[in-house]
Amino acid sequence: MRLLPELVLTGAGWEAGRAVAVTDGRIAAVQPAGPPQPGDVALPGRALLPGTVNAHCHTFQSLLRGLGDDLDFMAWRDRVLYPLSERLDRGGIALGASFAFAEMLLRGATTCVDFFYLNDDGNDNAEAVIEAARAVGIRLVLARAMYDWEGAPKRYRETPTDARRRVRELIAAHRHDAACTVQPAPHSPHGASEAMIRAGWEVAESEATPFHIHVAEGRYEGERTLREHGATPIRYLDRLGVLGPRMIGVHCVWLDPEEIALMGARDAALAYCPSSNMFLGDGITRLPELLRAGVRVALGTDGGCTNNRLSVFEEMRMASLLQRVRLLDGTALPATTAFALGTASGAQVLDLEAGMVAPGRLADLVAIDLAEPSLHPSHDLLASVVYAMSERAVTDVWVHGRRVVEDGRLTTLSMEDLLARVRELTAGWRATA
Ligand SMILES: [Zn+2]
């Protein structure tokens, strides 16, 4: 198959008159279009970009959207997240995942990390999420949570021994999947014990994968880690020996300058979720400083009820705007950087060969409609994509070479049916008093 867009974004910038050849889920070549060939997919008036990478999400939370929007974090957690996540059986978990994946694909996200913690002492729920991703057609990184804080609902919790064994089993079960990888995810310094964090790191080491961990999202977390462990979160993780190139710290809002330098020195990575940080009133991660320190950065939406959108293009825009207002500097984070964080850099952080239109890369691609008003006038198309583009511009999406969105509609399932099921499941849900 060859895709023939009007423009394609390659390492050389926007190119016209090129064909993108796709074989076995990968980009085989980016070549002069030449004469038509059987299997060509003409994309007149469209530009082809790498699909975006959502490096942090909790898919089931899409079902909780709108239920605690104006609550503070603790009230949201205790009155919405904890009680309502208890109502989700395996079918509900799969429905939430399908709903979130479908929305992400329509917004141009071709990879999603689902940091998944409704594990019910096993892997069957995670398998339901993996099956949903396969059916909807998104590339999935199942960040299999490892959680043992006693204050959390029982279904989140396991012993480190059980969690270690189950994560290994899940990794083994999906080692040869084309579009799903499993990575360990000890929840956070407050949600996972020392033994659990070490167990997550050990699995990552032995399986040669990254691991995910929430770090310093709210100000209270640093104070709590300091009180309980005698060190702030990044120092504490360093003391445990897990701060290194395998670590993807999620959020990292409340770090001091020494912790930022330490993350860079250890070659750790960040999954940055600017909209969620704003929505929850967490604070502002010092992104330019982290980038200058050498920290590798991906972008995430976080869950659908703490954003409340599921678009990585949106996160590119928010990442840039938020740093401008923080630093009172319109040059704080340029469009090319913001775009790279949501594509190539995100893929690198997750250890995926995606995020670029180049031979050998995974064929995860997005086409946008150049006639969309938000892309006019066209002077610097990449800047327009980051700062101006409406979600309506995304017309077509391919994941692993499979066209999963065509002319703005999912090819893999009926959105009408999906929304009807979401309405039925969530009818009458509200925050507890
Ligand atoms: Zn999270």
Side-chain angles (χ1 to χ4, degrees), residues 273-276 299-301 307 311-319:
C273 307
S275 294
S276 173
L299 296 179
T301 59
N307 184 310
S311 162
V312 178
F313 288 118
E314 171 98 0
E315 299 311 309
M316 294 174 188
R317 172 178 151 89
M318 289 301 169

Side-chain angles (χ1 to χ4, degrees), residues 56-58 61 115 117 187 214 217 250-251 302-303:
H56 189 70
C57 190
H58 306 280
Q61 290 186 8
F115 192 120
Y117 52 83
H187 183 271
H214 295 93
E217 177 177 3
V250 183
H251 300 306
D302 211 347

